[in-house]
Amino acid sequence: MSVSGPYRPARSANAQRVLKWVAITAVFLIGFLYVMAVIVGGIGVAPLFIGLPLAILPVPVVIATFMWLDRLEPEPIGFLVFAFGWGAGVATFLAIFLNQGVGALLGVPGTLVAPFAEEAVKGLGLLVFVLLRRREFDGVVDGIVLGGIIGAGFAFTENILYISTQFAELGVGGAVGQFLLRGVFRPFAHPLYTSLTGIGLGVAVTTRNPALKVLAPVGGWSAGVLLHLIWNGSGYLGISILVTYVLVMVPVFVGWLLLVQWSRRMELKVLERHLPAYAAAGWIANWELPALCTFPGRKRARDWAKRTLGDRGKRAMIDLQLAATELAFLREKASRGQDLHDFSQREQQLLGLLSARKQILQPAAAQQPFGTAPIPTQPSGGPPPPVGPLSHPDGVSLPPPGPSYPPSGYPGVPPQDSYRTP
């Protein structure tokens, strides 16, 4: 009798994951190194020692900004690495050929071809996310964040080219001037252009309107191309860069920030709509809703967990908040008729994670009830929020009964009577 070795699916899956990332990294590096070779072939190696460090400087600021915007439901680090690598390696590699090839074919300067070609290859990276990781691409904020990171990667490689070239032609003064223009005054230019495509794709994955599923991405991409074309075209037509910057780029950037803020508020409303159902079922206590559905409450709850239980407590609170957020987004998708085939399985997984983290936090919370007023069992001034099957064609069942938690709270988090569901 022959005995085969034990089956280890986890190890096999880990090996496949490592090989996948090795292949992806190799593709990104090949694209990036090709662009570096083009630069060296044109101006030599020495300018890279100036261009590369200066191009790196704005990257942490831009990346940190988009990660801050994404703090409600952070994208996996692997997604951010992929997005940056696509922009820095794949998109720049493809853009070189498209800018030169299409420009020569049409007899159009590369400056005017670039907005169309570059926004296409950057947008292609976003389309890869939507097609291959549709479940994790939840909407507009995800489109903004991933599009912004792709744009940041593209700008990083492009800045190496421009700053190095200016150093080779004009010396230190030229390099510093180019860095100030691209790295200080407009480090968000490419991230802004690409995030507009991301907004369009975010609308497409959340709408039920078939026409909007097509028009929104096309419209977002077109807006990015137009803004990019205005900037490039102003220099080509001899219009002052300062005039274009003040009259176009700054107002558009301010409007973009307002749109980002509105989109983040819409994500909070998803939690406000769906988490009360889990509170009614006993998985979440009423007093926990402010610690899940408001940005100040979420931060105060993490601070409390850190003070009370140290790093382990803070990590448990972060996991609890993320599980609750994912539950709300899962139910929101189900309300649109999406991802219904494994809804119950995924809901049970998230409820298991939420319950496990609550077991870590609950004893400390029970010993330190917050506030001085009695904790109401429902929002004051009206009946509890309605709970029932979600209104979409296939229907989604109510959350299963939870363990129910005692009326206590996280110190410093506003009590339930300060919280309102819409």
Side-chain angles (χ1 to χ4, degrees):
M1 179 180 69
S2 63
V3 180
S4 60
Y7 177 58
R8 297 182 177 88
R11 180 175 298 179
S12 176
N14 289 337
Q16 292 177 3
R17 190 176 300 112
V18 169
L19 290 175
K20 177 185 71 175
W21 275 107
V22 168
I24 290 172
T25 303
V27 171
F28 292 164
L29 280 176
I30 289 171
F32 178 76
L33 292 175
Y34 177 84
V35 178
M36 294 302 102
V38 170
I39 297 173
V40 170
I43 60 176
V45 176
L48 285 180
F49 291 97
I50 299 297
L52 180 58
L54 290 178
I56 290 174
L57 289 179
V59 171
V61 175
V62 176
I63 298 296
T65 300
F66 282 102
M67 292 182 71
W68 178 81
L69 293 176
D70 195 37
R71 67 189 191 277
L72 184 63
E73 189 207 16
E75 299 302 320
I77 294 299
F79 283 22
L80 304 184
V81 171
F82 181 94
F84 189 86
W86 181 277
V90 175
T92 50
F93 173 83
L94 296 175
I96 287 178
F97 291 98
L98 287 175
N99 288 343
Q100 295 175 348
V102 175
L105 180 65
L106 300 179
V108 178
T111 302
L112 301 183
V113 173
F116 298 91
E118 293 174 4
E119 297 315 312
V121 294
K122 289 186 292 177
L124 181 61
L126 280 169
L127 190 59
V128 169
F129 274 110
V130 173
L131 295 178
L132 300 184
R133 287 292 183 267
R134 170 65 187 84
R135 176 173 290 176
E136 289 83 7
F137 197 98
D138 293 314
V140 169
V141 172
D142 285 354
I144 290 172
V145 171
L146 294 172
I149 301 295
I150 289 174
F154 189 94
F156 164 66
T157 304
E158 191 178 64
N159 286 350
I160 297 174
L161 168 63
Y162 281 99
I163 296 172
S164 299
T165 301
Q166 287 294 299
F167 177 76
E169 295 177 353
L170 301 175
V172 174
V176 171
Q178 192 68 209
F179 167 73
L180 291 176
L181 175 63
R182 304 180 67 86
V184 176
F185 288 104
R186 48 188 300 268
F188 288 92
H190 273 290
L192 170 59
Y193 305 152
T194 316
S195 71
L196 295 177
T197 302
I199 290 171
L201 286 169
V203 172
V205 302
T206 57
T207 185
R208 293 182 178 179
N209 187 320
L212 200 56
K213 286 182 178 293
V214 176
L215 294 177
V218 172
W221 176 81
S222 299
V225 169
L226 178 61
L227 193 60
H228 197 163
L229 188 61
I230 289 172
W231 178 260
N232 284 17
S234 64
Y236 180 75
L237 297 174
I239 301 173
S240 170
I241 288 178
L242 181 61
V243 171
T244 305
Y245 182 79
V246 172
L247 296 184
V248 178
M249 301 301 291
V250 171
V252 169
F253 185 67
V254 171
W256 178 80
L257 289 175
L258 294 175
L259 177 61
V260 169
Q261 182 63 21
W262 176 83
S263 300
R264 293 171 69 240
R265 178 56 191 157
M266 291 301 100
E267 284 197 330
L268 281 179
K269 284 191 174 293
V270 171
L271 274 65
E272 294 173 0
R273 275 197 299 274
H274 296 297
L275 289 186
Y278 292 97
W283 289 99
I284 300 171
N286 283 327
W287 50 262
E288 286 181 297
L289 290 175
L292 300 172
C293 299
T294 67
F295 281 121
R298 289 169 75 95
K299 183 179 185 304
R300 282 192 288 263
R302 292 193 298 270
D303 291 343
W304 166 82
K306 169 74 172 179
R307 289 194 309 269
T308 308
L309 297 172
D311 291 338
R312 179 171 178 263
K314 182 177 180 180
R315 182 68 257 174
M317 179 62 74
I318 291 173
D319 288 347
L320 186 152
Q321 291 175 339
L322 183 58
T325 302
E326 293 283 359
L327 280 167
F329 284 178
L330 178 66
R331 195 159 276 266
E332 178 71 10
K333 287 181 180 179
S335 72
R336 300 193 299 262
Q338 299 172 346
D339 292 349
L340 294 173
H341 62 285
D342 61 348
F343 173 86
S344 297
Q345 178 184 355
R346 294 181 65 202
E347 182 184 49
Q348 287 294 337
Q349 291 173 346
L350 291 169
L351 288 173
L353 175 60
L354 183 142
S355 181
R357 297 305 180 262
K358 284 173 69 72
Q359 289 176 14
I360 297 173
L361 296 165
Q362 189 62 36
Q367 294 168 13
Q368 302 182 51
F370 71 79
T372 56
I375 307 303
T377 57
Q378 65 184 54
S380 60
V387 178
L390 298 177
S391 55
H392 64 87
D394 296 288
V396 177
S397 61
L398 293 173
S404 296
Y405 292 95
S408 182
Y410 305 124
V413 179
Q416 169 69 6
D417 58 8
S418 68
Y419 171 78
R420 295 288 184 274
T421 56

